[in-house]
């Protein structure tokens, strides 16, 4: 039986707070840069680093991979959820204009996509496709630097949570979640090892 461990790291704080960041390419704040530097001190056995193309993930991931002499791969499936017409706008501004639609989205995101936004089904399809591709490689321990939406999608699939419950999963900036997958030729058994921790143990326990 093969085992694959995925360590998911959410990016640090950005320069734009209180907005629908989504695919809006906002850089890390000074605080966010320090958060990522504190999280990425040394490798805990990672064979590769994969990262979202958005700069709030990419810059720290590329720098860390170079420091540790690890292969570094940009993976588009790790990009954040696309909020469509809401993306880049402040939460308060959108709510003042479309309160009913905003509340419907947060209460039942699977059936209430933001205007011109990405459906939850589309988000799941791309994230699960990327994850499944990793399950078909020879790697056994990877670091993925990504976003809250992607991490919640993977956690929720592991725990069989409805999208309406995703917002109950707390994910702080520059914190780790570890997922493990046990695979044989016909089945995959996922396991949530740890969630939203500042540091990981030195080995993939």
């Amino acid at each position: 039986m093969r085992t694959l461990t995925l360590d998911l790291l959410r990016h640090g704080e950005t320069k734009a707070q209180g907005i629908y960041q989504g695919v809006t390419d906002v850089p890390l704040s000074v605080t966010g840069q320090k958060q990522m530097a504190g999280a990425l001190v040394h490798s805990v056995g990672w064979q590769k680093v994969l990262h979202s193309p958005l700069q709030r993930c990419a810059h720290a991931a590329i720098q860390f991979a170079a420091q540790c002499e690890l292969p570094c791969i940009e993976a588009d499936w790790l990009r954040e959820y696309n909020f469509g017409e809401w993306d880049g706008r402040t939460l308060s501004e959108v709510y003042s204009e479309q309160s009913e639609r905003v509340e419907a989205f947060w209460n039942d995101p699977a059936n209430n996509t933001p205007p011109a936004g990405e459906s939850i089904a589309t988000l799941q399809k791309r994230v699960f496709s990327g994850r499944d591709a990793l399950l078909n490689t020879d790697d056994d321990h990877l670091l993925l630097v990504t976003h809250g939406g992607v991490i919640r999608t993977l956690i929720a699939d592991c725990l069989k949570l409805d999208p309406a419950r995703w917002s109950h999963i707390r994910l702080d900036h520059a914190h780790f979640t570890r997922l493990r997958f046990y695979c044989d030729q016909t089945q995959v058994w996922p396991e949530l090892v740890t969630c939203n921790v500042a540091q990981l143990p030195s080995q993939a326990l």
Side-chain angles (χ1 to χ4, degrees):
M1 179 177 291
R2 174 172 172 252
T3 301
L4 172 64
T5 299
L6 299 181
D7 289 334
L8 311 166
L9 175 63
R10 188 186 177 204
H11 61 81
E13 177 192 279
T14 70
K15 290 184 176 181
Q17 299 299 302
I19 71 167
Y20 287 95
Q21 289 192 63
V23 296
T24 302
D25 202 4
V26 182
L28 294 178
S29 66
V30 172
T31 296
Q33 293 172 30
K34 292 178 179 177
Q35 290 171 333
M36 291 298 278
L40 294 171
V41 177
H42 54 76
S43 173
V44 297
W46 299 308
Q47 295 161 302
K48 295 176 184 174
V49 178
L50 284 73
H51 64 83
S52 160
L54 298 175
Q55 62 179 313
R56 57 189 184 268
C57 294
H59 288 177
I62 292 169
Q63 183 177 24
F64 175 74
Q67 171 189 319
C68 296
E69 299 183 342
L70 293 171
C72 190
I73 301 167
E74 181 180 296
D76 189 61
W77 67 271
L78 291 175
R79 74 182 183 278
E80 182 59 292
Y81 176 77
N82 187 344
F83 287 98
E85 293 177 8
W86 298 352
D87 221 286
R89 300 183 65 196
T90 66
L91 304 178
S92 58
E93 181 183 35
V94 173
Y95 188 80
S96 69
E97 296 174 2
Q98 305 176 47
S99 60
E100 291 186 4
R101 192 157 189 174
V102 170
E103 290 177 4
F105 169 73
W106 290 113
N107 289 328
D108 185 11
N111 295 303
N112 294 281
T113 303
E118 182 178 23
S119 70
I120 293 298
T122 300
L123 169 66
Q124 291 172 315
K125 182 178 180 180
R126 70 169 163 92
V127 171
F128 297 160
S129 177
R131 175 203 60 194
D132 292 348
L134 297 181
L135 292 171
N136 291 316
T137 67
D138 294 328
D139 299 315
D140 57 33
H141 193 187
L142 302 174
L143 170 63
L144 279 55
V145 185
T146 183
H147 307 267
V150 173
I151 299 172
R152 288 187 176 93
T153 301
L154 291 168
I155 293 173
D157 185 62
C158 177
L159 301 180
K160 304 306 177 189
L161 296 178
D162 184 270
R165 298 177 181 268
W166 290 9
S167 61
H168 298 288
I169 303 172
R170 176 167 176 162
L171 297 174
D172 293 319
H173 288 123
H175 276 52
F176 291 94
T177 292
R178 174 170 285 176
L179 296 175
R180 183 167 295 127
F181 301 86
Y182 301 92
C183 320
D184 65 16
Q185 294 181 344
T186 60
Q187 297 185 72
V188 177
W189 293 269
E191 176 183 62
L192 176 61
V193 179
T194 189
C195 180
N196 201 42
V197 297
Q199 292 292 334
L200 290 168
S202 58
Q203 311 235 349
L205 302 176

